[in-house]
Amino acid sequence: MELVHILLIVLGGALVLGNTVARGREAVTTIQSEDGDVIECIAIQKQPAFDHPALRNHTIQLAPTHDYQSGKRRPEKRQPLAPPQPWRRSGSCPHGTIPLRRRRPPKISTESTSAGQLLLEESPNYMRKNRSRAVLMAAGYIYSGVKGDIKVWNPNVEDDDYSVSHVGLTSGGRHDFENIRSGWMVNPKFYGDRVTRLFVYWTVDGSNQTGCFDLSCSGFVQTSKEIALGAAINPITLPGELTSEITIYISRDAVTGNWWVEYGEGTYLGYWPRELFGLLAAGGAETAEWGGEVYSPKLGQRPHTTTAMGSGRPPDPVWGSSGSVKRIRVLENSAELRFPQYVSTYTDEFNCYDVEYWSDYMPDPEFYYGGPGRSYKCP
């Protein structure tokens, strides 16, 4: 095993960690979660990110240059939205490590699916084709941040499909775009169950040859020891009983150019290093996005998939029984988060997954989306 060299540096007020990455990922601690997950606490220098050729000599940034505690950036006055993860009731990762959820085989039928299709990193086109979006988009500026409060549901998802609710940023053409996103997802193939889980995703070529969820391939650098990517979000929303939301904020560090993911108000999960990107490394994103996406091989066919988006109900601004994003914010040409100046809605299949944007007579506009998939409107 190679030696690990550690060097602490101060870069523009941010603490960073220089490293020569060691091969091998022996767990410092293993935690058996009550929900069946196994969490391995591995040294931060040994995480999968550093297998990427562009990151072999990368310097780890342990916190954004200007975090809330520095006084340079202040959160909006609201309670943090970061539901605890079940595995934390069974233990915690020590300092200097990050939690890595152990992959487990799906508990679903895979008779019609080849082994290579079960792993996203072995099937990079998984997110590119056969997907249906229902989103709110902002364009017209260069965006260095996107934020939203996403209502958490547990929609019905067929074996070969996934359902996502997210915020994200994109630059580039239709077929070779760069994209970063985060939110919640139900993905039986990838996670092995139908539990609602926290995720991050990135690609630099429209998901043709690059990109993956969470830490399943090299790229995303995790810094938090408190939150595990791919772990369950609990509680979820229960109609008429409980409303659960998560706050996701993706922002570009003005000093390092790294793209940070913040969970709740002040819990930094980690970042996508600027070395991964071309357009996104140049200064910002061309579009910001909030909403849902469904992947299914049955899209565009009859019968349509029964995989739901959001809660599985059509947009419902009155009772709030559908997927929704509130407190919609971007960083445009200023240092302050604000509601985007120009927005538009988009849906691939309005008969299956629809959208509704509420802005009239409201101090803070809201976006509602979703649907059941196959129905009398979507045969």
Side-chain angles (χ1 to χ4, degrees):
M1 180 177 293
E2 301 174 16
L3 294 178
V4 178
H5 303 287
I6 299 176
L7 174 63
L8 293 180
I9 307 169
V10 175
L11 175 60
L15 185 65
V16 297
L17 179 66
N19 74 92
T20 301
V21 181
R23 300 296 178 188
R25 298 193 177 95
E26 297 85 356
V28 174
T29 302
T30 300
I31 300 170
Q32 177 67 58
S33 175
E34 61 188 40
D35 65 355
D37 278 356
V38 176
I39 303 297
E40 297 177 331
C41 304
I42 64 171
I44 190 171
Q45 303 92 350
K46 298 180 181 180
Q47 62 181 291
F50 305 115
D51 291 339
H52 195 288
L55 304 180
R56 293 298 170 86
N57 296 311
H58 179 75
T59 297
I60 301 176
Q61 185 180 0
L62 296 180
T65 302
H66 295 137
D67 62 11
Y68 291 144
Q69 287 72 35
S70 71
K72 301 293 181 64
R73 186 163 66 94
R74 297 181 180 179
E76 298 179 70
K77 293 181 179 179
R78 182 163 175 161
Q79 288 295 107
L81 295 174
Q85 296 181 319
W87 69 272
R88 288 299 309 280
R89 292 193 285 268
S90 302
S92 61
C93 287
H95 291 288
T97 69
I98 63 162
L100 182 65
R101 178 182 176 270
R102 182 184 295 174
R103 293 284 297 278
R104 57 186 179 187
K107 297 179 180 179
I108 61 174
S109 172
T110 58
E111 293 179 359
S112 62
T113 305
S114 68
Q117 289 178 303
L118 293 178
L119 302 179
L120 179 67
E121 60 271 32
E122 296 180 14
S123 182
N125 287 331
Y126 189 58
M127 285 197 65
R128 174 169 164 69
K129 299 178 181 179
N130 302 320
R131 57 180 179 160
S132 185
R133 292 189 301 156
V135 296
L136 180 73
M137 297 187 296
Y141 287 86
I142 296 298
Y143 302 97
S144 57
V146 61
K147 185 176 184 179
D149 294 346
I150 309 171
K151 184 170 285 190
V152 181
W153 296 95
N154 183 241
N156 172 70
V157 177
E158 292 190 13
D159 287 356
D160 293 337
D161 301 357
Y162 73 63
S163 184
V164 164
S165 288
H166 69 277
V167 303
L169 294 162
T170 304
S171 283
R174 180 183 178 90
H175 301 292
D176 60 353
F177 54 85
E178 298 179 3
N179 172 259
I180 51 179
R181 63 172 75 180
S182 182
W184 61 259
M185 174 168 61
V186 178
N187 190 331
K189 274 189 182 179
F190 187 70
Y191 292 121
D193 54 30
R194 289 180 168 80
V195 174
T196 303
R197 298 180 179 275
L198 176 69
F199 84 96
V200 299
Y201 178 83
W202 70 278
T203 180
V204 295
D205 62 357
S207 302
N208 286 306
Q209 298 297 325
T210 65
C212 68
F213 294 116
D214 305 338
L215 304 181
S216 63
C217 73
S218 57
F220 187 82
V221 178
Q222 180 157 343
T223 58
S224 173
K225 72 181 188 68
E226 308 292 335
I227 302 294
L229 294 173
I233 298 174
N234 193 3
I236 60 171
T237 301
L238 299 176
E241 298 181 27
L242 175 71
T243 295
S244 177
E245 297 177 320
I246 57 172
T247 300
I248 299 291
Y249 180 29
I250 302 173
S251 63
R252 181 178 183 271
D253 190 299
V255 175
T256 65
N258 299 327
W259 289 93
W260 280 87
V261 180
E262 184 178 341
Y263 182 57
E265 301 284 6
T267 301
Y268 299 106
L269 302 183
Y271 61 90
W272 294 280
R274 68 181 306 276
E275 294 95 324
L276 297 175
F277 305 106
L279 295 172
L280 289 177
E286 296 169 356
T287 61
E289 182 178 292
W290 305 259
E293 180 177 282
V294 164
Y295 168 90
S296 175
K298 296 180 181 178
L299 295 179
Q301 303 178 16
R302 290 195 177 191
H304 192 278
T305 180
T306 60
T307 291
M309 180 188 296
S311 68
R313 296 181 61 84
D316 180 14
V318 177
W319 301 104
S321 64
S322 66
S324 68
V325 184
K326 301 180 180 179
R327 207 161 51 121
I328 297 162
R329 300 288 186 269
V330 291
L331 280 178
E332 296 174 339
N333 294 337
S334 68
E336 297 296 326
L337 280 163
R338 66 179 186 180
F339 188 85
Q341 187 167 352
Y342 303 109
V343 295
S344 61
T345 60
Y346 173 82
T347 177
D348 287 302
E349 301 176 295
F350 64 88
N351 287 329
C352 306
Y353 311 109
D354 207 356
V355 296
E356 192 161 345
Y357 172 57
W358 268 39
S359 60
D360 294 341
Y361 312 110
M362 297 187 66
D364 206 344
E366 300 172 354
F367 178 61
Y368 295 84
Y369 61 93
R374 188 192 310 166
S375 66
Y376 71 95
K377 289 184 177 180
C378 179

